[in-house]
Structure formats: structure tokens, C-alpha cells
Amino acid sequence: MKYRLIAIDLDGTLLCPEGKVSEENRAALHAAHERGVVVLPCTGRAWRESCRVLDSVPDAELGVFNTGGMVHELRSGSTVHRTAFDAETANGLIELLRPMPEAVLVFTDPAETGLEYVITGDGQPTNNSLWWFEHNGLRFARHAEPPCELMDHVVRVSAVVARSRAIQIERDVAAHFGDKVEVHSFGAVQRSDEGEELFITEVFPKGVTKWLGIRYVAERFGIGLDEVAVIGDQINDLPMFAEAACAVAMGNAIEPIKQVAHRHTHRNDEHGVAHAIRQMLNGVW
């Protein structure tokens, strides 16, 4: 077995379209664990947003969350690593996004603030955002001007908007903040009755990607970066695909991911993660 750590994205990858882990995928994860492989969930979600599905990954010890901004112990949710904005940049992002008709969603380190989200800006949260908060039991507060004591613990600034506007917001952020931030947009998890397709535009401190969290975990376990494999499907997986020894694209992955992948597996509705892990465990890959 070449790979001692396999980092696996959740939405669109480990999770089937219904948002669950299939029995085939669960069995493959357990087989990897039994062979001494570190199985590392690696997601854009926060820890509390992931709890339901991570119950199906009982062998994993740590997870990379918030697109690499945080690493948590899976069972307790304890923070073991985080990267936060400086307060000046966080406030600047809020002011840039404030005029939007949608609210600005500020994710903070809950270990420090007791909150996952601060809702701010001049706009209102979408029904999708409010559903997501309720569905996952997230703690949030509304503040027209976020209190100063929260601003030292901001991990992500985001907005949930119509797809047609997400790319322009991304460009505006990049134009104003340049090399101070990482910014990307991708499709939001949507309610079944949602009308217009919604996208999330997320902004992180410069250098925060899933690979940052993966590298931290690999070093913690004494695993070389040449022993790391990753499986994913979306734009926020690109940095880890650029660095991993083996990058596996899902059959349903976006085209930029497929173009840079070393290997390709089945779709997430065809147990693509299970197929990829079997290929690695059997020495085919």
C-alpha cells in the first residue's frame, strides 16, 4: 500500500446525492483503516455541519473542516488547529460585502465565541441559509456591527447568492484584497424545494486550502507528503490535487478537477470512493 493517508471530500464525493455514506463506501473506509491507513474527512463544511454524516466514518480520528481553516477531533469537536483572519481584513471583507441584498455570513471559531456564524451586512440571509442553520443545529447571532471581541476568531467570510452573481462577487473580493485572501465559489447544498440554483462564495485567509489542513495532519502522524492520496470533485479540491501524490477525481467531478487528476473513479452515486480505495489497497494505483 503506497498511501498512508487518504483525504476524502464529503459532498459530491464520499456522500451520495442523498447526502449519506453508502454501505460500500463505509466498508472500504473500514478496510483502509484496518490496513493502517489514516482516513481523513476533508470538507468545506464546518465540524457541526458534518456530524450527522461523520457518524458513518467511525474509524477516523481527525477531520479537516472549513476548507482547511480548521482541524477538529471528530468525536468531541475539539479544535486542534485553525487559521483565522486578522481583524482588519475580516472587517474589510464585511464592509465590501455589506451592500448585498443577501446577508454576510461570518464563521467564527466556536471554541472561542460559542457561535458558528455571525449574520451581518445590510441584506437578509436566504431561506436556504436559515434552513441549513436549523437542519444542522448551528449557533448564530445577528449583529449589524459584529462585536470587536469576535473579530479575532473569524475563519471564513461567505455569502449564499444566486449563481449568476457569485462569480462577480468573487472577482470583487479578489480585486480589493488580492494576495491577502483565498476566494472561490461553488454550488450550495440546497433544499429539495429550492428554486434558483444557489452558490456559496467563500473567502479565507491567504494560504488556507484543504491541503493546509491535510499537511498538518500528515505531519502530526509522521506521514510523508509523498504518502498522501486525495479524492474529490469540486473547485475547493484543486489545491490538494496539485500537491498530493495521488489525486483521484470522482466521475461527477467538475472538468478542472478531472483535468489535473492522476486517476479517475466512478460517480458518487456509484460508490466511487469505494472503488478508488480498493484500487489503492490492491496496489493497482
XYZ file of all heavy atoms in Angstrom, residues 126-202:
621
model
N -30.578 34.086 3.098
C -31.509 33.371 2.230
C -32.257 32.320 3.033
O -31.807 31.879 4.098
C -30.757 32.677 1.082
O -29.877 31.686 1.647
C -29.944 33.672 0.257
N -33.404 31.911 2.525
C -34.137 30.812 3.168
C -33.278 29.554 3.231
O -33.368 28.773 4.185
C -35.432 30.528 2.403
C -36.450 31.635 2.562
O -36.435 32.368 3.557
N -37.336 31.776 1.592
N -32.444 29.377 2.208
C -31.536 28.239 2.188
C -30.577 28.278 3.374
O -30.347 27.255 4.034
C -30.757 28.221 0.868
C -29.779 27.078 0.775
O -28.652 27.193 1.265
N -30.182 25.984 0.173
N -30.022 29.445 3.661
C -29.088 29.569 4.788
C -29.784 29.279 6.109
O -29.248 28.554 6.964
C -28.477 30.976 4.818
O -27.700 31.211 3.667
N -30.971 29.823 6.303
C -31.699 29.598 7.554
C -32.069 28.121 7.712
O -32.000 27.571 8.815
C -32.951 30.475 7.584
C -32.680 31.985 7.631
C -33.993 32.764 7.551
C -31.917 32.375 8.897
N -32.456 27.494 6.600
C -32.725 26.049 6.644
C -31.480 25.282 7.038
O -31.541 24.373 7.871
C -33.216 25.580 5.271
C -33.107 24.094 5.099
C -33.922 23.136 5.618
C -32.088 23.397 4.362
N -33.477 21.878 5.256
C -32.350 22.014 4.489
C -30.978 23.809 3.615
C -31.545 21.049 3.888
C -30.181 22.849 3.018
C -30.469 21.490 3.164
N -30.336 25.643 6.481
C -29.072 24.953 6.774
C -28.709 25.094 8.250
O -28.311 24.139 8.902
C -27.975 25.519 5.887
C -26.639 24.857 6.037
C -25.532 25.383 6.632
C -26.262 23.557 5.578
N -24.486 24.492 6.572
C -24.909 23.364 5.929
C -26.937 22.541 4.903
C -24.219 22.191 5.638
C -26.252 21.369 4.602
C -24.917 21.203 4.972
N -28.879 26.289 8.802
C -28.581 26.514 10.218
C -29.466 25.644 11.104
O -28.996 25.002 12.044
C -28.791 27.985 10.589
C -27.806 28.937 9.957
C -28.030 30.302 10.005
C -26.667 28.481 9.311
C -27.127 31.186 9.435
C -25.767 29.354 8.724
C -26.002 30.719 8.788
N -30.770 25.631 10.789
C -31.698 24.840 11.601
C -31.442 23.343 11.426
O -31.435 22.579 12.411
C -33.136 25.172 11.200
C -34.181 24.402 11.991
C -35.602 24.746 11.581
O -35.782 25.611 10.703
O -36.539 24.133 12.132
N -31.218 22.909 10.202
C -31.006 21.494 9.885
C -29.807 20.927 10.638
O -29.810 19.762 11.055
C -30.799 21.355 8.375
C -30.518 19.967 7.913
N -31.454 18.960 7.941
C -29.377 19.410 7.399
C -30.923 17.846 7.472
N -29.665 18.083 7.144
N -28.788 21.758 10.859
C -27.554 21.302 11.488
C -27.386 21.761 12.929
O -26.339 21.504 13.534
C -26.349 21.764 10.652
C -26.273 21.054 9.320
O -25.970 19.874 9.244
N -26.568 21.782 8.247
N -28.392 22.417 13.483
C -28.308 22.868 14.865
C -27.192 23.861 15.100
O -26.516 23.836 16.147
N -26.990 24.779 14.154
C -25.883 25.726 14.246
C -26.237 26.898 15.147
O -27.379 27.376 15.174
C -25.519 26.245 12.852
C -25.129 25.170 11.835
C -24.825 25.803 10.484
C -23.934 24.362 12.326
N -25.258 27.370 15.850
C -25.427 28.522 16.744
C -25.036 29.786 15.986
O -23.951 29.851 15.406
C -24.554 28.340 17.975
C -24.940 27.114 18.815
C -23.835 26.699 19.753
N -22.663 26.237 19.017
C -21.550 25.779 19.592
N -21.456 25.739 20.909
N -20.525 25.390 18.864
N -25.926 30.779 16.018
C -25.626 32.014 15.297
C -26.237 33.200 16.023
O -27.119 33.060 16.878
C -26.147 31.947 13.855
C -27.643 31.862 13.728
C -28.418 33.008 13.586
C -28.291 30.629 13.738
C -29.797 32.930 13.459
C -29.667 30.540 13.605
C -30.419 31.700 13.470
N -25.743 34.388 15.677
C -26.267 35.639 16.217
C -26.257 36.670 15.102
O -25.422 36.618 14.201
C -25.416 36.113 17.389
N -27.193 37.585 15.159
C -27.264 38.674 14.179
C -26.677 39.934 14.791
O -27.054 40.331 15.895
C -28.709 38.915 13.740
C -29.359 37.707 13.073
C -30.788 38.040 12.671
N -31.506 36.875 12.193
C -32.096 36.778 11.003
N -32.038 37.796 10.161
N -32.734 35.683 10.647
N -25.769 40.547 14.063
C -25.148 41.799 14.516
C -24.975 42.711 13.309
O -24.305 42.346 12.339
C -23.771 41.551 15.132
C -23.802 40.814 16.432
N -24.188 41.414 17.616
C -23.468 39.534 16.733
C -24.097 40.526 18.602
N -23.670 39.387 18.091
N -25.569 43.903 13.371
C -25.336 44.884 12.310
C -23.858 45.242 12.240
O -23.285 45.399 11.155
C -26.177 46.131 12.562
N -23.222 45.342 13.403
C -21.783 45.564 13.512
C -21.239 44.485 14.443
O -21.468 44.533 15.654
C -21.487 46.952 14.090
C -22.026 48.115 13.269
C -21.234 48.324 11.985
O -20.107 47.790 11.901
O -21.747 49.016 11.092
N -20.543 43.478 13.929
C -20.049 42.402 14.790
C -19.173 42.933 15.912
O -18.325 43.808 15.686
C -19.241 41.527 13.820
C -19.837 41.797 12.488
C -20.236 43.243 12.510
N -19.352 42.461 17.135
C -18.541 42.919 18.273
C -17.053 42.685 18.043
O -16.649 41.679 17.442
C -19.059 42.058 19.434
C -20.418 41.627 19.021
C -20.366 41.478 17.535
N -16.238 43.597 18.533
C -14.788 43.523 18.333
C -14.212 42.213 18.848
O -13.283 41.653 18.251
C -14.102 44.698 19.024
S -14.474 46.303 18.277
N -14.765 41.699 19.954
C -14.188 40.501 20.555
C -14.363 39.259 19.677
O -13.683 38.246 19.878
C -14.786 40.238 21.934
C -16.282 40.030 21.969
C -17.056 41.313 22.215
O -16.500 42.407 21.942
O -18.208 41.225 22.678
N -15.269 39.332 18.699
C -15.440 38.197 17.785
C -14.462 38.229 16.616
O -14.177 37.198 16.004
C -16.861 38.179 17.225
C -18.015 37.997 18.203
C -19.340 38.014 17.451
C -17.867 36.700 18.973
N -13.952 39.422 16.293
C -13.248 39.591 15.034
C -11.849 38.990 15.009
O -11.239 38.881 13.948
C -13.193 41.078 14.670
C -14.572 41.710 14.497
S -15.694 40.750 13.425
C -14.859 40.904 11.858
N -11.325 38.594 16.153
C -10.036 37.907 16.181
C -10.182 36.409 15.956
O -9.176 35.682 15.949
C -9.335 38.132 17.522
C -8.841 39.555 17.689
O -8.443 40.160 16.664
O -8.851 40.063 18.819
N -11.408 35.937 15.767
C -11.657 34.499 15.653
C -12.427 34.145 14.375
O -13.081 33.113 14.308
C -12.433 34.017 16.882
C -11.798 34.397 18.175
N -10.609 33.864 18.602
C -12.175 35.302 19.126
C -10.277 34.393 19.775
N -11.205 35.262 20.100
N -12.326 34.991 13.360
C -13.038 34.783 12.101
C -12.215 33.868 11.196
O -11.074 34.180 10.841
C -13.324 36.117 11.391
C -13.960 35.864 10.016
C -14.244 36.986 12.244
N -12.796 32.751 10.817
C -12.121 31.762 9.973
C -12.545 31.894 8.514
O -11.749 31.640 7.612
C -12.422 30.340 10.490
C -11.831 29.269 9.579
C -11.904 30.170 11.915
N -13.787 32.309 8.280
C -14.307 32.383 6.907
C -15.361 33.479 6.826
O -16.153 33.654 7.757
C -14.932 31.035 6.521
C -15.545 31.004 5.126
C -16.209 29.652 4.859
N -17.395 29.462 5.682
C -17.846 28.278 6.083
N -17.190 27.176 5.775
N -18.934 28.196 6.815
N -15.388 34.181 5.704
C -16.453 35.133 5.388
C -17.090 34.647 4.087
O -16.383 34.357 3.114
C -15.912 36.561 5.231
C -17.039 37.509 4.817
C -15.256 37.032 6.523
N -18.419 34.538 4.072
C -19.067 33.958 2.891
C -20.406 34.612 2.616
O -20.933 35.388 3.424
C -19.263 32.448 3.084
O -20.136 32.188 4.164
N -20.965 34.270 1.458
C -22.309 34.718 1.086
C -22.949 33.635 0.237
O -22.276 32.990 -0.576
C -22.247 36.021 0.305
N -24.222 33.400 0.450
C -25.002 32.465 -0.370
C -25.862 33.307 -1.304
O -26.735 34.060 -0.859
C -25.878 31.548 0.510
C -26.737 30.640 -0.360
C -25.004 30.722 1.454
N -25.587 33.181 -2.605
C -26.214 34.064 -3.589
C -26.603 33.259 -4.826
O -26.215 32.103 -4.986
C -25.249 35.207 -4.003
C -24.849 36.034 -2.798
C -24.011 34.647 -4.704
N -27.357 33.904 -5.710
C -27.689 33.275 -6.985
C -26.410 33.014 -7.780
O -25.461 33.803 -7.739
C -28.616 34.178 -7.790
N -26.395 31.907 -8.483
C -25.205 31.528 -9.260
C -24.735 32.652 -10.166
O -23.530 32.881 -10.329
C -25.518 30.287 -10.083
C -24.369 29.814 -10.954
C -24.692 28.530 -11.678
N -23.529 28.023 -12.393
C -23.453 26.842 -12.963
N -24.492 26.020 -12.896
N -22.365 26.462 -13.596
N -25.685 33.369 -10.730
C -25.348 34.423 -11.700
C -24.522 35.542 -11.076
O -23.825 36.264 -11.791
C -26.631 35.004 -12.309
O -27.478 35.523 -11.287
N -24.572 35.697 -9.754
C -23.856 36.788 -9.091
C -22.592 36.333 -8.368
O -21.757 37.153 -7.998
C -24.787 37.472 -8.078
C -25.958 38.188 -8.744
C -26.865 38.858 -7.730
N -26.101 39.657 -6.808
C -26.125 39.507 -5.482
N -26.878 38.579 -4.948
N -25.402 40.289 -4.707
N -22.453 35.027 -8.158
C -21.349 34.535 -7.328
C -19.986 34.875 -7.911
O -19.075 35.320 -7.188
C -21.476 33.022 -7.135
N -19.816 34.692 -9.206
C -18.506 34.919 -9.813
C -18.116 36.392 -9.750
O -16.940 36.722 -9.510
C -18.482 34.405 -11.266
C -18.773 32.901 -11.298
C -17.139 34.697 -11.904
C -17.827 32.061 -10.456
N -19.090 37.291 -9.916
C -18.771 38.722 -9.837
C -18.343 39.100 -8.425
O -17.406 39.890 -8.240
C -19.976 39.568 -10.259
C -19.648 41.059 -10.324
C -18.504 41.365 -11.261
O -18.521 40.962 -12.428
N -17.486 42.072 -10.768
N -19.007 38.547 -7.419
C -18.595 38.809 -6.034
C -17.186 38.295 -5.804
O -16.344 38.964 -5.178
C -19.587 38.155 -5.052
C -20.960 38.822 -5.170
C -19.068 38.239 -3.621
C -22.054 38.102 -4.414
N -16.905 37.105 -6.314
C -15.562 36.540 -6.195
C -14.527 37.476 -6.822
O -13.459 37.726 -6.234
C -15.539 35.175 -6.885
C -14.229 34.430 -6.772
C -14.298 33.069 -7.431
O -15.407 32.529 -7.591
O -13.221 32.555 -7.791
N -14.829 38.012 -7.979
C -13.901 38.931 -8.654
C -13.711 40.218 -7.861
O -12.593 40.739 -7.765
C -14.422 39.243 -10.061
C -14.321 38.066 -11.026
C -15.032 38.376 -12.327
N -14.925 37.269 -13.269
C -15.679 37.124 -14.343
N -16.628 38.031 -14.619
N -15.518 36.087 -15.150
N -14.793 40.736 -7.285
C -14.689 41.960 -6.490
C -13.787 41.759 -5.277
O -12.953 42.613 -4.949
C -16.077 42.417 -6.032
C -16.943 42.921 -7.177
O -16.397 43.199 -8.260
O -18.172 43.021 -6.978
N -13.969 40.616 -4.613
C -13.131 40.321 -3.449
C -11.667 40.208 -3.854
O -10.777 40.778 -3.211
C -13.604 39.018 -2.761
C -12.582 38.562 -1.714
C -14.963 39.233 -2.109
N -11.406 39.492 -4.936
C -10.026 39.330 -5.398
C -9.409 40.670 -5.782
O -8.233 40.933 -5.493
C -9.991 38.360 -6.581
N -10.207 41.547 -6.397
C -9.691 42.848 -6.818
C -9.340 43.725 -5.630
O -8.349 44.471 -5.660
C -10.715 43.549 -7.707
N -10.122 43.650 -4.553
C -9.901 44.506 -3.390
C -8.843 43.954 -2.428
O -8.135 44.723 -1.772
C -11.211 44.705 -2.624
C -12.118 45.728 -3.233
N -12.917 45.457 -4.314
C -12.344 47.031 -2.909
C -13.614 46.543 -4.635
N -13.284 47.503 -3.807
N -8.738 42.634 -2.341
C -7.877 42.055 -1.297
C -6.694 41.258 -1.837
O -5.798 40.912 -1.065
C -8.717 41.185 -0.354
C -9.653 41.991 0.479
C -10.947 42.231 0.052
C -9.241 42.540 1.680
C -11.817 43.001 0.813
C -10.097 43.310 2.449
C -11.392 43.539 2.017
N -6.693 40.976 -3.133
C -5.537 40.390 -3.781
C -4.931 39.226 -3.040
O -5.600 38.225 -2.758
N -3.630 39.342 -2.703
C -2.907 38.218 -2.107
C -3.126 38.073 -0.602
O -2.431 37.302 0.055
C -1.410 38.317 -2.404
C -0.773 39.589 -1.855
O -1.473 40.374 -1.177
O 0.439 39.778 -2.090
N -4.103 38.783 -0.043
C -4.436 38.611 1.379
C -5.433 37.483 1.615
O -5.636 37.070 2.763
C -5.022 39.905 1.959
C -4.026 41.041 2.118
C -4.684 42.208 2.822
C -3.684 43.329 3.072
N -4.321 44.471 3.795
N -6.081 37.016 0.536
C -7.186 36.070 0.715
C -7.138 34.946 -0.312
O -6.477 35.044 -1.345
C -8.560 36.776 0.618
C -8.685 37.886 1.643
C -8.803 37.305 -0.799
N -7.896 33.878 0.014
C -8.250 32.820 -0.930
C -9.759 32.915 -1.123
O -10.504 33.000 -0.142
C -7.906 31.435 -0.370
C -6.462 31.252 0.051
C -5.529 31.013 -1.115
O -6.021 30.814 -2.245
O -4.304 31.012 -0.886
N -10.224 32.899 -2.369
C -11.656 33.032 -2.621
C -12.076 32.074 -3.735
O -11.344 31.867 -4.699
C -12.032 34.496 -2.981
C -11.233 34.999 -4.170
C -13.524 34.644 -3.223
N -13.243 31.462 -3.565
C -13.791 30.582 -4.586
C -15.303 30.486 -4.414
O -15.844 30.869 -3.374
C -13.160 29.177 -4.526
C -13.250 28.550 -3.173
N -12.148 28.236 -2.423
C -14.311 28.195 -2.412
C -12.532 27.714 -1.273
N -13.832 27.671 -1.246
N -15.969 29.972 -5.440
C -17.429 29.806 -5.421
C -17.793 28.429 -5.938
O -17.143 27.901 -6.841
C -18.109 30.863 -6.307
O -17.799 32.170 -5.879
N -18.852 27.851 -5.366
C -19.341 26.550 -5.822
C -20.785 26.377 -5.379
O -21.299 27.130 -4.553
C -18.471 25.403 -5.299
C -18.317 25.363 -3.800
C -19.190 24.642 -3.015
C -17.287 26.056 -3.190
C -19.053 24.601 -1.645
C -17.133 26.022 -1.812
C -18.023 25.307 -1.035
N -21.442 25.357 -5.904
C -22.857 25.142 -5.630
C -23.146 24.836 -4.180
O -22.435 24.056 -3.538
N -24.185 25.444 -3.644
C -24.586 25.219 -2.255
C -25.384 23.926 -2.139
O -26.015 23.480 -3.108
C -25.441 26.389 -1.758
N -25.351 23.324 -0.940
C -26.288 22.240 -0.634
C -27.667 22.873 -0.564
O -27.893 23.828 0.185
C -25.936 21.562 0.705
C -26.976 20.499 1.051
C -24.539 20.941 0.632
N -28.604 22.374 -1.350
C -29.900 23.029 -1.468
C -31.039 22.165 -0.965
O -30.972 20.932 -1.021
C -30.155 23.413 -2.932
C -29.075 24.350 -3.457
C -29.484 25.060 -4.734
O -28.651 25.608 -5.404
N -30.762 25.092 -5.048
N -32.075 22.826 -0.492
C -33.305 22.126 -0.154
C -33.939 21.594 -1.433
O -33.770 22.157 -2.510
C -34.287 23.078 0.533
C -33.762 23.707 1.802
C -34.819 24.626 2.403
N -35.300 25.629 1.451
C -36.297 26.463 1.694
N -36.949 26.389 2.842
N -36.664 27.348 0.800
N -34.711 20.527 -1.308
C -35.325 19.926 -2.493
C -36.343 20.857 -3.149
O -36.615 20.740 -4.345
C -36.001 18.602 -2.116
O -36.998 18.823 -1.117
N -36.899 21.815 -2.380
C -37.916 22.709 -2.938
C -37.331 24.053 -3.370
O -38.053 24.983 -3.684
C -39.034 22.938 -1.917
C -38.539 23.624 -0.640
O -37.305 23.645 -0.405
O -39.383 24.126 0.125
N -35.985 24.162 -3.376
C -35.347 25.426 -3.746
C -35.556 25.687 -5.227
O -35.499 24.776 -6.051
C -33.858 25.358 -3.432
C -33.208 26.727 -3.282
C -33.548 27.371 -1.963
O -33.362 26.736 -0.928
O -34.012 28.528 -1.979
N -35.757 26.947 -5.596
C -35.957 27.308 -6.982
C -34.637 27.578 -7.685
O -33.998 26.682 -8.223
N -34.207 28.825 -7.670
C -32.974 29.217 -8.355
C -31.756 28.562 -7.725
O -31.656 28.439 -6.506
C -32.828 30.742 -8.288
C -31.643 31.259 -9.087
C -31.625 32.784 -9.131
O -32.365 33.393 -8.346
O -30.882 33.337 -9.953
N -30.828 28.130 -8.563
C -29.607 27.495 -8.064
C -28.777 28.513 -7.294
O -28.548 29.636 -7.756
C -28.788 26.932 -9.220
C -27.555 26.178 -8.758
C -26.754 25.613 -9.901
O -27.071 25.938 -11.072
O -25.819 24.836 -9.639
N -28.337 28.109 -6.114
C -27.560 28.988 -5.252
C -26.110 28.544 -5.191
O -25.803 27.356 -5.217
C -28.144 29.002 -3.836
C -29.556 29.565 -3.700
C -30.055 29.393 -2.270
C -29.599 31.035 -4.109
N -25.227 29.526 -5.089
C -23.803 29.280 -4.944
C -23.312 29.897 -3.638
O -23.904 30.858 -3.123
C -23.024 29.895 -6.111
C -22.700 28.918 -7.208
C -23.670 28.045 -7.697
C -21.436 28.861 -7.754
C -23.377 27.148 -8.707
C -21.121 27.958 -8.757
C -22.096 27.104 -9.235
N -22.249 29.319 -3.098
C -21.563 29.905 -1.952
C -20.270 30.530 -2.454
O -19.476 29.873 -3.130
C -21.218 28.836 -0.900
C -22.465 28.134 -0.400
C -20.459 29.459 0.260
C -22.166 26.958 0.521
N -20.075 31.793 -2.133
C -18.774 32.421 -2.334
C -18.098 32.491 -0.972
O -18.639 33.083 -0.034
C -18.902 33.821 -2.940
O -19.541 33.717 -4.218
C -17.534 34.462 -3.127
N -16.929 31.862 -0.848
C -16.218 31.763 0.423
C -14.880 32.478 0.337
O -14.182 32.372 -0.683
C -15.952 30.302 0.788
C -17.185 29.468 1.001
C -16.827 28.062 1.452
O -15.805 27.521 0.994
O -17.593 27.508 2.263
